[in-house]
Amino acid sequence: MPQETAVYTHGHHESVLRSHTWRTAANSAAYLVGSLKPHMTVLDIGCGPGTITADLAALVPDGRVTGVDRAPGILDRARATAAERGLENFEFAVADVHELDYPDDSFCVVHAHQVLQHVGDPVRALREMRRVCKPGGIVAVRDADYEAMTWHPRSPVMDEWLDLYRQVARANGGEPDAGRRLKSWALEVGFTDVTATADTWCYSSHVERAWWSGLWADRTVDSSYAERAVEGGHTDAERLRAIAAAWREWGAREDAWFAVLHGEVLCRK
């Protein structure tokens, strides 16, 4: 039976959740929001701590949202997020996107944010998403593209960070530059009505720079990504500390600016 073969690069360290809990439908799924109707049923794959899931549930008050994730522990956080919002039209479950435990044609919308870059077989995952989507429904996918990330001022150590991250992610079985590939994967699955777009996160203000550089500095030395970078022989702890310091130095600069490019596809079944 198809199963996940990739290792999730980031894990769920606090520095990772700092980023994940910042995400909302407005800043991470705007390309989908205009297509939602109050009655729709939505499957949110890789829901993590559930902040986007809760927003989706609020946008379909007469429908229902199901959030799924491979990591059982994070689902308690997701349930709490939805409950704190006073929402009742949601449920959460453990699932592998390569083999979803739902019948064909189950959901009006199947959504995945920052998921396909971390899975072993993104085409198989998209095929499963298409299978459980109702005829006339939407499969919506958004992923970052690491090679396309850009920032100022440049520094050799932060260039090293990007090269290292892409090495570790690929060694774990993922594709860090997934954003540019989403349209191609959707066509390979058999979608014929695909709207492909792009959007960005941009960090420039003092608060934004401090937040973004701080979470990456912490993630570089303390998260599962750091462990896998060292254990996989890609780098050592000393170099990780140097990269973390470079992140903090960059974040302290008044002229610092960072942009994260995302690919997006809305696929109608």
Side-chain angles (χ1 to χ4, degrees), residues 153-212:
R154 303 297 299 195
S155 81
V157 181
M158 286 186 64
D159 288 342
E160 181 183 350
W161 158 75
L162 183 57
D163 291 342
L164 176 63
Y165 177 84
R166 294 171 74 221
Q167 289 175 28
V168 174
R170 290 200 169 103
N172 287 341
E175 175 45 72
D177 305 336
R180 70 188 64 188
R181 294 172 165 82
L182 297 183
K183 180 181 179 183
S184 176
W185 290 339
L187 294 174
E188 184 175 347
V189 164
F191 284 109
T192 57
D193 186 349
V194 179
T195 300
T197 54
D199 201 355
T200 59
W201 291 332
C202 185
Y203 308 103
S204 178
S205 73
H206 174 75
V207 171
E208 291 166 345
R209 297 192 316 269
W211 179 78
W212 184 244

Side-chain angles (χ1 to χ4, degrees), residues 127-168:
R127 189 170 288 120
E128 271 292 271
M129 294 171 69
R130 185 176 189 269
R131 179 185 67 78
V132 302
C133 184
K134 293 180 179 181
I138 297 171
V139 173
V141 181
R142 185 178 196 253
D143 268 278
D145 193 300
Y146 273 76
E147 187 183 30
M149 291 184 185
T150 189
W151 60 90
H152 179 83
R154 303 297 299 195
S155 81
V157 181
M158 286 186 64
D159 288 342
E160 181 183 350
W161 158 75
L162 183 57
D163 291 342
L164 176 63
Y165 177 84
R166 294 171 74 221
Q167 289 175 28
V168 174

Side-chain angles (χ1 to χ4, degrees), residues 17-212:
L17 293 181
R18 206 182 310 164
S19 171
H20 290 182
T21 55
W22 166 84
R23 298 171 183 174
T24 65
N27 66 32
S28 299
Y31 74 109
L32 168 63
V33 167
S35 299
L36 296 177
K37 307 298 181 186
H39 68 278
M40 284 181 161
T41 53
V42 180
L43 178 63
D44 187 24
I45 295 172
C47 66
T51 52
I52 297 176
T53 319
D55 281 354
L56 296 176
L59 290 167
V60 292
D62 302 322
R64 192 161 187 84
V65 175
T66 300
V68 298
D69 203 283
R70 284 186 62 218
I74 199 62
L75 293 179
D76 288 339
R77 180 75 173 266
R79 291 184 185 97
T81 299
E84 288 166 3
R85 297 270 299 273
L87 300 167
E88 297 181 353
N89 60 330
F90 67 88
E91 59 190 356
F92 293 95
V94 177
D96 180 347
V97 67
H98 296 88
E99 188 179 8
L100 295 169
D101 191 22
Y102 299 102
D104 295 358
D105 308 332
S106 293
F107 300 93
C108 302
V109 176
V110 184
H111 168 262
H113 182 266
Q114 312 294 8
V115 172
L116 294 191
Q117 65 183 281
H118 296 297
V119 305
D121 190 342
V123 173
R124 168 72 196 190
L126 261 177
R127 189 170 288 120
E128 271 292 271
M129 294 171 69
R130 185 176 189 269
R131 179 185 67 78
V132 302
C133 184
K134 293 180 179 181
I138 297 171
V139 173
V141 181
R142 185 178 196 253
D143 268 278
D145 193 300
Y146 273 76
E147 187 183 30
M149 291 184 185
T150 189
W151 60 90
H152 179 83
R154 303 297 299 195
S155 81
V157 181
M158 286 186 64
D159 288 342
E160 181 183 350
W161 158 75
L162 183 57
D163 291 342
L164 176 63
Y165 177 84
R166 294 171 74 221
Q167 289 175 28
V168 174
R170 290 200 169 103
N172 287 341
E175 175 45 72
D177 305 336
R180 70 188 64 188
R181 294 172 165 82
L182 297 183
K183 180 181 179 183
S184 176
W185 290 339
L187 294 174
E188 184 175 347
V189 164
F191 284 109
T192 57
D193 186 349
V194 179
T195 300
T197 54
D199 201 355
T200 59
W201 291 332
C202 185
Y203 308 103
S204 178
S205 73
H206 174 75
V207 171
E208 291 166 345
R209 297 192 316 269
W211 179 78
W212 184 244

